[in-house]
Amino acid sequence: MLDKNVVELLNAQVNKEFYSAYLYLDFSNYYYDQGLDGFGNWYRIQAQEERDHAMLFVQYLQNNGERAELETVDKPGVELTSAKAVLEEGLKHEQYVTSLIHNIYDAAYSVKDFRTMQFLDWFVKEQGEEETNAEGLVKKFELFGDDPKSLYMLDNELGARVYSAPSLVL
Ligand code: MG
């Protein structure tokens, strides 16, 4: 049986991951609206990944005899002011999600819940990659975003991203 506090945090994370999906879908819509279809594609896939993350938390709770309680998903609460600002908001959000994952890990660690720690290991690694990707996008935009030709090429590059299912299977 899982610790009550750990279950509550895992359950809250389901909502946070769905919120991330919602937020990134909003980012995607913003970019498509701006004519930056490659950025739109990149964030639409990002939204799919976040939905996958939510489903993994649901599945993990199920596998441990707990039923996920679905809460209201907030409206995306970030004002999208420019193509670059959106990328910066994306990085900030990933850093926030990392702190949430670390917080659950900490709770699991404190009650010697090794099973949940092992489950979360994948997410710890995943968050490292997410932050690196988000940082990379901000850097690339800083380098190339002001030049229309370079921005066009960067947009094409991001348009080539294809969805792949998460490597974690429960
Ligand atoms: Mg996620």
Side-chain angles (χ1 to χ4, degrees):
M1 248 184 80
L2 297 177
D3 172 75
K4 192 170 162 282
N5 182 43
V6 171
V7 170
E8 272 174 26
L9 290 172
L10 289 169
N11 201 83
Q13 194 61 29
V14 172
N15 187 272
K16 299 287 185 184
E17 298 292 343
F18 275 125
Y19 175 77
S20 298
Y22 225 44
L23 181 68
Y24 292 156
L25 184 57
D26 200 37
F27 285 13
S28 173
N29 291 342
Y30 170 86
Y31 283 122
Y32 277 114
D33 190 49
Q34 298 283 313
L36 290 167
D37 291 7
F39 285 78
N41 172 65
W42 202 91
Y43 265 109
R44 187 164 58 187
I45 291 170
Q46 198 61 26
Q48 275 179 284
E49 280 197 358
E50 300 304 344
R51 195 200 68 107
D52 291 337
H53 295 166
M55 298 303 275
L56 285 166
F57 279 96
V58 169
Q59 184 71 55
Y60 181 75
L61 285 164
Q62 270 170 10
N63 289 357
N64 287 277
E66 299 285 346
R67 175 181 162 183
E69 205 172 309
L70 301 179
E71 305 287 350
T72 305
V73 180
D74 287 341
K75 187 179 165 142
V78 174
E79 218 189 317
L80 310 179
T81 52
S82 73
K84 188 188 166 201
V86 171
L87 299 179
E88 288 166 341
E89 292 294 344
L91 174 58
K92 240 198 287 180
H93 186 69
E94 285 306 326
Q95 288 165 341
Y96 167 64
V97 173
T98 298
S99 75
L100 294 174
I101 298 289
H102 288 184
N103 190 41
I104 309 171
Y105 204 103
D106 199 34
Y109 180 76
S110 72
V111 293
K112 294 195 162 117
D113 178 355
F114 301 115
R115 191 190 300 167
T116 298
M117 285 158 68
Q118 197 195 36
F119 164 69
L120 290 173
D121 278 340
W122 185 87
F123 285 93
V124 171
K125 186 163 174 275
E126 172 73 10
Q127 280 312 119
E129 289 167 11
E130 299 283 35
E131 283 190 40
T132 302
N133 289 339
E135 263 166 17
L137 286 180
V138 171
K139 270 185 202 150
K140 277 185 183 172
F141 202 94
E142 277 168 358
L143 284 170
F144 308 119
D146 291 335
D147 173 51
K149 256 192 221 164
S150 305
L151 181 60
Y152 179 77
M153 286 172 74
L154 180 55
D155 191 57
N156 270 340
E157 184 190 316
L158 298 182
R161 182 182 185 188
V162 289
Y163 168 76
S164 64
S167 59
L168 179 62
V169 179
L170 296 178

